[in-house]
Amino acid sequence: MRFSVFLLLAVSSLATYPSVEHEHLVNVDSTPGSWLTHGRSYREERQSPLTQITLDNVGELGLAWYFDTGTRRGLEASPLVIDGVIYSTGSWSHVFANDAVNGELIWQYDPQVPKAWGVNACCDVVNRGVAAWGDNIYLGTLDGRLVALDRQNGHVVWTSLTIDPTRPYTITGAPRIIKGNVIIGNGGAEYGVRGYVSAYDAHDGSLRWRFYTVPGNPEEPFESTAMEMAAETWSGDLWWKVGGGGTVWDSMAYDVELDLLYIGVGNGAPWNRHIRSPGGGDNLFLSSIVALRPETGEYVWHYQTTPGDSWDYTATQHMILADLMIDGALRKVLMQAPKNGFFYVLDRASGELISAEKYVPASWASHVDLSTGRPVETENADHSIEAKTTKPAPFGGHNWQPMAFNETTGLVYIPAMDGLAPYSTARNFTYLPGGHWNLGQSESDVVLPGNRHLINAVIKRIFKGHLLAWDPVTQKEAWRVEHETMWNGGVLTTAANLVFQGTGDGRLVAYRADSGEQLWETRTLTGVIAPPISYQINDEQYIAVMAGWGGAPTLAFNLPGSTNGANGRLLVYKLGGEANLPVTPEARTIPTPPPRHGSEESIDAGQVLYNTHCGRCHGAGLEGSGLLPDLRDMGHDGTANTPEVFKAIVLQGAYREMGMVSFADVLSETDTEAVYDYIVDAAHTRLEEREASPFWREVEAWFMDLAGALIVWFI
Ligand code: CA
């Protein structure tokens, strides 16, 4: 009896879960209600052909259902929708399969990533989604595994380790699948790794090919002729010991007709070119778009956006393929708005540069020379002798948040950012293996103001975000919408002249695609960074988005105007939806800190050490977004309230299982006590501020705002 029920289930499942094949992925418009691959199609344009939700009725959108992923870490996934099931990923590489109509959880998969691996993730323990092929879906885990899961029940079909586990590699990007090859890269260039992209057989997980993006040990043979060419553009011998960087951590696109796979390559390791390659050189294929044969990984062409990158100006940002009429000719183009501030339009058959213009302020280069295809650097680009303040910041003019291209308006919608950062050169660079950044910057050149209100006032003025509608033919802005905060969501556009974007201040908004006029918005209770998607089932169109605040700048800063007010959720909207989000008021009490401890000198030393080693995850100046514990709260659970307990955590790794690894390789006992002294002092200061009169708090806020404005003016 049990066997026959099982058979019945198996048969009905076969009927409702047809295999995803090449023909489906190259003809996604034949199943417009689905979302079969990361960017909806291989062209990655993120335009849905669905038109039930229109300019006229978009105001009637309401919540259909939501699913709580159970964490407050970042959510960056673009879900897939196949045959009535929506597949999304949460933090720590969890996978969720929900009924796309009512949200019921069908299965979930937790790959059990060791929490201690989180220290290797520069930019939060995020994941950008799964890929589908055959009867499986495919996941890259934070600790470098590629996992095939049975799409019907989430059972593991095979697992392949894609990395050297002795190096701080991660995977956060979504795989792409081309003719049975699962393509996956990795992250880790901030720490020091060698970048590559690999293809695995979708059936059994065996490695088909691997393309390295930077050369390795000069004493070993080149893996490819492309590496032989690249090696000519590097100097010295430090780079390959650190790793060189060039990780392929996010974007890819595939041209079906030209049979070309495009990969976006990341920044150098270390960042600083004067240390990485002291004799100069372009350092191929850092910050490049590279075209490969998807069946062999053979190199075809490359275009380097930032030769000799020294600013974390990755070219891993979203790439969109389109056919544009330029100067009277229909051109097959690839478009990218990488971190470096220029919007590029390339001929995707040859890699030839068609045009490049600044889409945000950029001070490192004056322009891109169309005859050479190279940027013309300004004197601001040279930070070998003295520190320079340069635009854009390492967060980029645009980061991983996907853009969208609307074929009717002809516009590309960019989650754009203004910003700047100090860049400098370390006097004595020492490579630190393991989970430490190796940027080659001089930490002492980057002095953060001690007052947290002042930090926030400065950040608010330096970092700004907007939704930018960009005409790729004229290389000009069509319209923009300014946002409250710099860090906002990816973009969806639809054939009904609509654009959808979530925001860092906790909204999902619909705009007219041709004008930017706002038509609808709803509260999401927490900041949104993921891109919305759209699907249709039983004649109802849905808009789905992962709402969960996180990512690199949210760990480092409590971004002004942002909110991290609820658990991360998958939110799904439809016309007339009547569900409500549970409003969970924050029961936030400020614990009484342990007594002040240590001398003024120790507290000051602790502040510098904290900002060097701890602030990247726990918040600069102890001001984070609440993704990781606010260390000023320590002791609230009756534990880490003495210097001894604090040292057991920081030096002996007492909280390793929770993700807090030992820092004994960089901090001494005295250092650790100084950090403790600083945190306790800051906890008392926070308490005193709470107890101050509202009037004086306002006066201080006003004064700090003014001071922040002055600081930014002087920069
Ligand atoms: Ca980077």
Side-chain angles (χ1 to χ4, degrees):
M1 182 64 194
R2 195 176 286 170
F3 182 66
S4 62
V5 169
F6 175 78
L7 255 185
L8 200 69
L9 277 173
V11 169
S12 75
S13 301
L14 280 174
T16 47
Y17 291 81
S19 181
V20 174
E21 305 295 345
H22 185 67
E23 71 227 45
H24 301 123
L25 293 173
V26 299
N27 295 308
V28 290
D29 285 348
S30 64
T31 51
S34 303
W35 194 286
L36 297 179
T37 184
H38 191 67
R40 199 189 78 88
S41 79
Y42 279 138
R43 294 159 77 91
E44 307 274 336
E45 81 291 272
R46 291 185 177 272
Q47 175 184 256
S48 168
L50 300 174
T51 54
Q52 185 183 68
I53 299 167
T54 64
L55 295 177
D56 292 333
N57 65 22
V58 65
E60 296 159 29
L61 273 181
L63 190 67
W65 57 266
Y66 68 89
F67 172 74
D68 195 326
T69 69
T71 80
R72 286 203 182 185
R73 301 297 295 264
L75 298 183
E76 299 188 352
S78 183
L80 301 186
V81 179
I82 307 167
D83 286 305
V85 179
I86 183 165
Y87 302 91
S88 62
T89 60
S91 51
W92 296 107
S93 322
H94 284 215
V95 184
F96 305 100
N98 294 74
D99 184 309
V101 171
N102 61 29
E104 188 188 325
L105 182 67
I106 298 169
W107 57 259
Q108 61 178 309
Y109 170 69
D110 176 358
Q112 303 286 338
V113 173
K115 296 290 186 285
W117 202 264
V119 78
N120 297 326
C122 65
C123 308
D124 203 359
V125 293
V126 291
N127 184 279
R128 299 192 197 88
V130 292
W133 181 264
D135 299 321
N136 297 336
I137 63 166
Y138 298 84
L139 164 77
T141 68
L142 192 75
D143 55 349
R145 289 169 282 159
L146 185 65
V147 185
L149 299 170
D150 186 316
R151 189 150 51 82
Q152 190 180 329
N153 52 34
H155 294 168
V156 175
V157 179
W158 54 255
T159 299
S160 284
L161 185 63
T162 73
I163 59 158
D164 170 356
T166 68
R167 301 298 293 254
Y169 284 104
T170 51
I171 299 177
T172 55
R176 310 296 201 282
I177 304 182
I178 303 167
K179 293 182 276 190
N181 275 350
V182 189
I183 320 285
I184 190 73
N186 47 59
E190 270 57 52
Y191 301 85
V193 297
R194 184 184 181 196
Y196 56 86
V197 62
S198 315
Y200 290 85
D201 188 311
H203 297 291
D204 60 16
S206 58
L207 182 66
R208 287 260 185 93
W209 55 258
R210 176 163 291 172
F211 177 83
Y212 285 96
T213 58
V214 297
N217 186 343
E219 290 180 2
E220 287 173 11
F222 296 113
E223 291 88 353
S224 64
T225 50
M227 278 304 94
E228 200 171 344
M229 169 172 80
E232 301 284 312
T233 66
W234 292 73
S235 77
D237 64 354
L238 177 122
W239 92 82
W240 69 268
K241 291 171 187 155
V242 178
T247 50
V248 182
W249 55 263
D250 194 56
S251 84
M252 296 179 225
Y254 173 55
D255 186 304
V256 176
E257 288 168 44
L258 297 170
D259 194 32
L260 288 176
L261 162 69
Y262 309 99
I263 58 166
V265 183
N267 58 277
W271 282 4
N272 191 310
R273 63 183 176 199
H274 307 291
I275 290 170
R276 185 179 68 237
S277 186
D282 288 350
N283 294 183
L284 292 172
F285 294 99
L286 295 182
S287 305
S288 300
I289 295 162
V290 185
L292 304 172
R293 289 287 167 213
E295 265 150 303
T296 59
E298 183 195 350
Y299 164 91
V300 180
W301 61 254
H302 77 275
Y303 177 81
Q304 190 172 37
T305 60
T306 313
D309 166 50
S310 203
W311 305 270
D312 192 19
Y313 288 164
T314 64
T316 42
Q317 280 55 52
H318 182 192
M319 296 178 285
I320 296 177
L321 311 185
D323 300 327
L324 298 181
M325 193 62 86
I326 297 174
D327 294 334
L330 193 65
R331 304 288 299 263
K332 289 176 179 298
V333 307
L334 181 155
M335 304 183 285
Q336 190 189 48
K339 281 188 185 178
N340 75 11
F342 287 89
F343 188 95
Y344 293 85
V345 179
L346 305 181
D347 181 314
R348 69 175 183 270
S350 63
E352 176 207 345
L353 175 69
I354 295 173
S355 63
E357 293 293 337
K358 288 178 187 176
Y359 65 95
V360 291
S363 62
W364 67 281
S366 59
H367 63 289
V368 178
D369 184 330
L370 287 184
S371 60
T372 62
R374 297 177 66 90
V376 178
E377 290 189 359
T378 64
E379 62 179 31
N380 177 267
D382 183 0
H383 46 257
S384 60
I385 311 290
E386 55 172 350
K388 295 278 171 66
T389 299
T390 301
K391 297 174 184 178
F395 301 127
H398 165 224
N399 207 294
W400 63 269
Q401 287 92 333
M403 314 185 291
F405 173 62
N406 188 303
E407 284 178 9
T408 307
T409 64
L411 300 174
V412 178
Y413 305 94
I414 311 169
M417 296 181 284
D418 291 353
L420 53 80
Y423 290 89
S424 60
T425 299
R427 315 284 180 261
N428 297 298
F429 175 75
T430 312
Y431 169 52
L432 289 173
H436 301 290
W437 279 19
N438 286 286
L439 307 185
Q441 296 238 80
S442 171
E443 299 287 352
S444 58
D445 283 344
V446 184
V447 182
L448 280 166
N451 185 291
R452 63 198 181 93
H453 301 293
L454 191 54
I455 293 178
N456 284 349
V458 169
I459 290 169
K460 185 175 183 173
R461 283 186 160 74
I462 289 178
F463 295 112
K464 294 184 173 190
H466 55 280
L467 174 60
L468 177 64
W470 189 258
D471 185 330
V473 174
T474 62
Q475 287 276 19
K476 285 195 167 62
E477 173 175 337
W479 53 260
R480 73 165 65 195
V481 175
E482 298 288 347
H483 288 321
E484 276 298 304
T485 187
M486 75 177 255
W487 195 238
N488 298 289
V491 187
L492 165 74
T493 188
T494 76
N497 194 16
L498 289 166
V499 165
F500 292 88
Q501 188 194 24
T503 62
D505 61 342
R507 294 173 298 139
L508 178 64
V509 190
Y511 304 96
R512 272 187 77 109
D514 54 3
S515 69
E517 180 196 345
Q518 182 175 326
L519 302 170
W520 169 82
E521 72 168 45
T522 188
R523 305 299 305 184
T524 55
L525 302 187
T526 193
V528 179
I529 50 177
I533 63 155
S534 190
Y535 60 91
Q536 186 156 317
I537 297 169
N538 302 332
D539 290 329
E540 279 193 303
Q541 185 185 352
Y542 297 84
I543 305 290
V545 69
M546 308 290 299
W549 191 233
T554 73
L555 287 162
F557 303 120
N558 185 13
L559 292 179
S562 71
T563 176
N564 184 15
N567 271 357
R569 296 178 174 125
L570 172 56
L571 306 178
V572 178
Y573 300 86
K574 66 174 183 179
L575 295 175
E578 290 182 336
N580 288 301
L581 286 174
V583 180
T584 45
E586 186 89 333
R588 180 144 172 76
T589 52
I590 296 202
T592 308
R596 274 196 165 98
H597 185 270
S599 63
E600 286 281 330
E601 291 73 31
S602 179
I603 291 168
D604 290 347
Q607 181 181 342
V608 174
L609 289 163
Y610 171 88
N611 282 325
T612 305
H613 298 291
C614 322
R616 181 165 61 75
C617 289
H618 288 281
L622 285 159
E623 281 282 287
S625 302
L627 274 68
L628 265 66
D630 184 328
L631 298 182
R632 292 168 299 190
D633 291 349
M634 71 178 174
H636 73 282
D637 54 357
T639 51
N641 55 358
T642 67
E644 284 64 40
V645 175
F646 188 71
K647 279 188 263 187
I649 295 166
V650 175
L651 299 178
Q652 280 127 50
Y655 283 2
R656 187 179 170 80
E657 298 299 308
M658 293 150 74
M660 173 60 199
V661 299
S662 163
F663 279 69
D665 51 347
V666 287
L667 294 174
S668 68
E669 286 226 7
T670 313
D671 290 343
T672 308
E673 204 156 305
V675 174
Y676 175 86
D677 297 345
Y678 164 61
I679 294 168
V680 171
D681 181 68
H684 279 277
T685 306
R686 179 180 60 166
L687 208 60
E688 287 154 13
E689 282 171 2
R690 281 295 156 110
E691 285 158 6
S693 78
F695 172 75
W696 282 113
R697 269 192 273 173
E698 279 208 17
V699 169
E700 191 196 31
W702 180 85
F703 181 75
M704 289 304 168
D705 203 44
L706 182 71
L710 281 171
I711 289 173
V712 173
W713 188 73
F714 274 112
I715 292 172

